[in-house]
Amino acid sequence: MKTGLTLVCILGALFPWTVSATVFGTVRGVVHDPDHRPIQNAQVIVKSSDSDYSRKLVTDQNGGFEATAVPVGAYIVTVTMEGFAPSGQQVVVASGSAPELHFQLLVGTQRDQVTVSESALAVNPEQMTPTTIISRGEIATTPGADLSNSLKMITDYVPGAWLAHDQLHVRGGHQVSWAIDGVPIPNTNIASNVGPQIDPKDIDYLEVQRGGYSSAYGDRTYGVFNVVPRTGFERNNEAELFTTFGTFHQTNDQLNYGNHTEKLAYFASVNGNRSDYGLETPGPDVLHDRAWGLGGMASLIYNRDAKNQFRFVTSLRRDDYQIPNDPDAQAAGIRDVERERDALASFSWVHTFRPGLLLTTSPFYHYNRANYDGDPNDTPLSTTQHHSSQYAGAQIALSAVSAKHNATVGLYGFGQHDDEFVSLIANDSSGLSLQQDKMTTGHLEAAFIEDQYRAFSWLTLTAGVRLTHFSGAISENAASPRLGGSIRIPHLNWVLRGFWGEYYQAPPLSTVSGPLLDFAISQGLDIIPLRGERDQEHQFGLTIPLRGWSFEVNNYHQRARNYFDHNAIGNSNVFFPLTIEGARLMGWEVTVRSPRIAHRGEIYLSYADALAEGSGAISGGLTDFSPPRNGYFLLDHDQRHTLHTGFNFSLPRGVIAGGNLYYGSGFTDGASDVPAHLQGHTTFDLSLSKSISENLTLSVTSLNLANRRFLLDNSLTFGGTHYAEPRQIYVQLRYRFRL
């Protein structure tokens, strides 16, 4: 049995603020009369679509208005003026975006309500970054998406995203970045952690970016997940209780509370979960596979005045897993376990000097631990590895938005302290027994600058550069330029998008020395110093908005030097990072999002045709100096075709239905001597919920409704090979009440 323990690719991610690395965007617009004359002193309200958060503005002498520091999400913008009929538009704000709206007010009588046409939850297509935004409502109605250990909010909606050996992969890579409230969460334990850091029920919006990043982002660039946490603006002194029970003695519960005033909003939650099915099993039988966890999250927003906002987010999680057995290990009494802990605190001060000029300062602290304890009788090696990391740092960024420019400049940095303990005991009569405890430190600093220039109403150009310095076992410097642009086709409003850029991913701190290195050498292995991964990406895409629908096609091609992966020492559970000389990742992506159909619901589709290949020999980390294979070879998590299509609909009698159909063409067959894939597979999830009363909702959910069991992945990582999840059926009760 194997476990992905230890770090694979160090962190970073990066900065705050406007062109992507923040949770904020800008909403601006112009108001004019039927003769296109600007209307001064018109009242503008920018209100969240699903909470009480709002901003009130007044148009200037040119009819313009601008709301800065608007959190990611969907909004209704309403304009009113005496003597004119009111007008409203829907807008989706992405991090770093600055959509510009145009309102033509018609002469007429005042109406109490404004009709706003519904459109898909799609961001401003002029951005060069392919982006998917998933709302709290979609998380609640997508089958299985709101469970504490679920990543279906990502895999169901984001093309090219899938789970392989219990870890999330996007575009063929597992080096992804998480940010909460716009602040990146450093984490070098990407190979060892399987527990999620954030409970989906605590998320207001999830913004997923894939490729084409602004220079505000650095390493871990196969996917960036920006979490907008719940704030309390959607609550008025209200609490909510979730409780579930289902197959495998599953329970997944949460109690949360939120409230707000005009200046202050706060939200807090506690959650607990347990199940007899936790990690993917090495065979069709579920043996020794319990999982249990506890967690909590709190957020606080204080608007001191119109120019100063303070935001604080903290989260805590603990997850324990039994490592699943095959029948032989179960009969032998093997009982391996994994214990994970995570703590995060992030504070942000958002200061507006004037409309369009914004400063964000965000210190943060992150603690992460993953402990793998092998059974003393495990054969041929009993392995123990305890790995903890502490990170402390800050990000500071200044953004400026004008009629032509959306510019940003910023700094980011953190210090890291790792403590790693490894123990190996041989049960093959060799008498081997060793222990090693090692502490390492490192730090990363980066600076970036970027400008999004609107040359014409139909042409937007973006250019930037990111400068990074890393110091750990080695020291490295990198300069990463980025170029992009978009063209809006007149009348059709189709948008063509293109990007070219480079990324640098700093190496992990983990290395091999002392008795562990001696053992590796005795196994015919040795270590080559790890260096950072350097990637070059180009992509182009087309976005088509049509009658409220959003259609997007994207092509990407990424080449990597020193591609990060991991390998084990002998036949043990201890994994150490390595790099492969080269890799190429390419593919086509398609997404379709509908507006609300007949005011009842929506449908969505995501499809990816992807290829993930490596080339050359091991260039860093543990190696046996095997000669490189000829040409390119399939990486173990390559899957050519992935399709998700689903729906969320309100039916008569207060029933809400959600469903998702998944097709995967099969991951790489590691047992084959020639390039090959495992069999294709299809699963279907379904959820039905019913409002029993105004505050009480009952739902029934089935995951993998047909109970299709198949070999999903035969790479030897975390518990051996992996079978698809069995059918899980659970009932959830949701009750909201006032305090």
Side-chain angles (χ1 to χ4, degrees), residues 142-144 152 156 644-647 658-662 683-687 701-706 725 728:
T142 300
K152 288 184 175 294
D156 284 8
H644 281 272
T645 182
F647 61 87
N660 181 268
L661 176 70
Y662 162 66
T683 61
F684 180 69
D685 303 332
L686 180 65
S687 177
T701 301
S702 177
L703 306 179
N704 191 5
L705 182 62
E725 294 186 350
Q728 300 173 69

Side-chain angles (χ1 to χ4, degrees), residues 18 55 85 121 125 144 271 283-284 300 409 436 559 613 631 667:
T18 158
R55 299 278 296 276
L121 192 62
N271 63 78
L300 175 70
V409 60
Q436 178 176 319
R559 290 187 177 273
E613 296 180 314
F667 292 108

Side-chain angles (χ1 to χ4, degrees), residues 8-236:
V8 188
C9 86
I10 209 158
L11 37 346
L14 311 274
F15 293 155
W17 126 166
T18 158
V19 182
S20 280
T22 186
V23 75
F24 301 114
T26 298
V27 176
R28 52 184 176 169
V30 176
V31 181
H32 54 80
D33 64 15
D35 296 323
H36 290 273
R37 292 174 298 191
I39 298 177
Q40 186 178 2
N41 295 326
Q43 304 296 310
V44 181
I45 298 178
V46 181
K47 185 182 182 303
S48 170
S49 297
D50 54 9
S51 77
D52 288 341
Y53 176 87
S54 65
R55 299 278 296 276
K56 297 180 180 179
L57 309 166
V58 177
T59 57
D60 58 24
Q61 61 184 2
N62 298 314
F65 65 89
E66 184 170 295
T68 58
V70 177
V72 167
Y75 294 85
I76 302 296
V77 182
T78 305
V79 180
T80 58
M81 183 66 181
E82 185 177 354
F84 294 89
S87 179
Q89 295 185 38
Q90 184 185 50
V91 63
V92 176
V93 177
S95 58
S97 66
E100 185 171 12
L101 308 177
H102 289 266
F103 290 86
Q104 178 175 298
L105 300 188
L106 302 178
V107 177
T109 59
Q110 187 80 15
R111 295 195 304 268
D112 292 334
Q113 295 184 343
V114 179
T115 301
V116 180
S117 60
E118 295 176 328
S119 59
L121 192 62
V123 303
N124 178 7
E126 293 184 8
Q127 284 194 203
M128 65 181 181
T129 304
T131 302
T132 302
I133 292 183
I134 302 100
S135 69
R136 171 164 41 92
E138 288 171 323
I139 293 173
T141 55
T142 300
D146 64 352
L147 296 179
S148 295
N149 288 321
S150 176
L151 290 171
K152 288 184 175 294
M153 59 182 173
I154 296 174
T155 56
D156 284 8
Y157 289 92
V158 179
W162 55 75
L163 287 175
H165 36 261
D166 292 298
Q167 294 189 6
L168 178 66
H169 293 70
V170 180
R171 289 185 168 184
H174 42 47
Q175 298 91 274
V176 297
S177 296
W178 285 85
I180 187 166
D181 216 4
V183 180
I185 305 173
N187 179 16
T188 63
N189 291 331
I190 193 70
S192 56
N193 288 94
V194 294
Q197 295 172 312
I198 301 166
D199 191 303
K201 293 183 286 294
D202 292 329
I203 296 175
D204 198 19
Y205 284 93
L206 176 67
E207 178 190 56
V208 182
Q209 301 182 7
R210 54 188 199 281
Y213 306 113
S214 106
S215 60
Y217 284 99
D219 62 2
R220 306 264 293 280
T221 46
Y222 292 93
V224 174
F225 307 108
N226 196 359
V227 172
V228 183
R230 297 179 69 170
T231 61
F233 274 113
E234 77 281 6
R235 295 290 182 83
N236 289 296

Side-chain angles (χ1 to χ4, degrees), residues 5 22 69 83 125 139 162 239 306 309 398 442 505 576 676 718 721 737:
L5 293 148
T22 186
I139 293 173
W162 55 75
Q309 181 183 91
L398 180 69
Q505 304 186 43
F576 284 88
F718 218 100
T721 58
F737 55 96

Side-chain angles (χ1 to χ4, degrees), residues 308-378:
N308 293 281
Q309 181 183 91
F310 300 95
R311 305 172 70 94
F312 176 74
V313 180
T314 184
S315 67
L316 299 169
R317 277 212 65 81
R318 58 169 293 173
D319 291 282
D320 295 336
Y321 302 91
Q322 294 178 334
I323 304 302
N325 285 333
D326 57 26
D328 291 339
Q330 185 73 8
I334 303 302
R335 301 293 185 264
D336 294 356
V337 295
E338 168 90 351
R339 298 180 176 91
E340 301 183 357
R341 306 292 183 263
D342 195 271
L344 169 73
S346 175
F347 173 81
S348 294
W349 170 42
V350 185
H351 177 68
T352 303
F353 292 100
R354 56 175 174 76
L357 187 59
L358 184 71
L359 174 70
T360 304
T361 304
S362 303
F364 60 83
Y365 170 80
H366 183 213
Y367 172 80
N368 179 271
R369 185 174 75 193
N371 291 352
Y372 186 96
D373 292 295
D375 189 281
N377 298 314
D378 207 348

Side-chain angles (χ1 to χ4, degrees), residues 410-617:
L411 300 171
Y412 174 84
F414 64 85
Q416 177 182 349
H417 176 89
D418 278 19
D419 191 348
E420 185 174 19
F421 170 78
V422 178
S423 172
L424 299 179
I425 301 175
N427 291 310
D428 57 2
S429 301
S430 67
L432 169 70
S433 178
L434 66 87
Q435 292 184 352
Q436 178 176 319
D437 196 348
K438 184 176 181 180
M439 292 186 294
T440 54
T441 60
H443 56 89
L444 182 144
E445 298 84 29
F448 70 89
I449 185 170
E450 182 157 298
D451 185 24
Q452 190 178 90
Y453 174 61
R454 192 174 185 183
F456 303 99
S457 60
W458 51 270
L459 175 64
T460 302
L461 302 173
T462 302
V465 64
R466 179 178 179 81
L467 306 175
T468 306
H469 171 72
F470 167 77
S471 179
I474 64 170
S475 294
E476 290 189 325
N477 297 305
S480 305
R482 319 276 168 89
L483 297 170
S486 64
I487 299 174
R488 181 186 293 272
I489 301 175
H491 306 298
L492 291 176
N493 286 326
W494 294 10
V495 176
L496 294 169
R497 181 180 59 249
F499 171 84
W500 173 91
E502 294 183 349
Y503 311 124
Y504 167 76
Q505 304 186 43
L509 296 184
S510 179
T511 186
V512 178
S513 62
L516 202 56
L517 178 58
D518 295 338
F519 171 68
I521 293 175
S522 72
Q523 300 294 305
L525 303 172
D526 203 348
I527 187 165
I528 303 172
L530 286 166
R531 297 195 174 276
E533 179 177 328
R534 297 175 188 264
D535 304 271
Q536 186 177 106
E537 177 193 67
H538 65 263
Q539 65 177 11
F540 61 88
L542 173 66
T543 300
I544 302 175
L546 181 63
R547 296 185 177 181
W549 291 69
S550 176
F551 303 87
E552 182 181 87
V553 180
N554 195 67
N555 175 271
Y556 67 92
H557 192 123
Q558 185 167 338
R559 290 187 177 273
R561 290 185 290 128
N562 297 324
Y563 176 81
F564 283 122
D565 212 325
H566 46 249
N567 198 3
I569 296 180
N571 187 24
S572 73
N573 295 314
V574 178
F575 276 71
F576 284 88
L578 60 79
T579 57
I580 302 171
E581 284 184 351
R584 64 180 181 184
L585 305 108
M586 61 189 75
W588 288 88
E589 300 169 333
V590 177
T591 62
V592 179
R593 301 288 294 272
S594 79
R596 290 192 63 82
I597 300 173
H599 303 287
R600 288 284 186 177
E602 58 202 6
I603 60 176
Y604 60 88
L605 177 147
S606 68
Y607 166 76
D609 176 3
L611 179 65
E613 296 180 314
S615 66

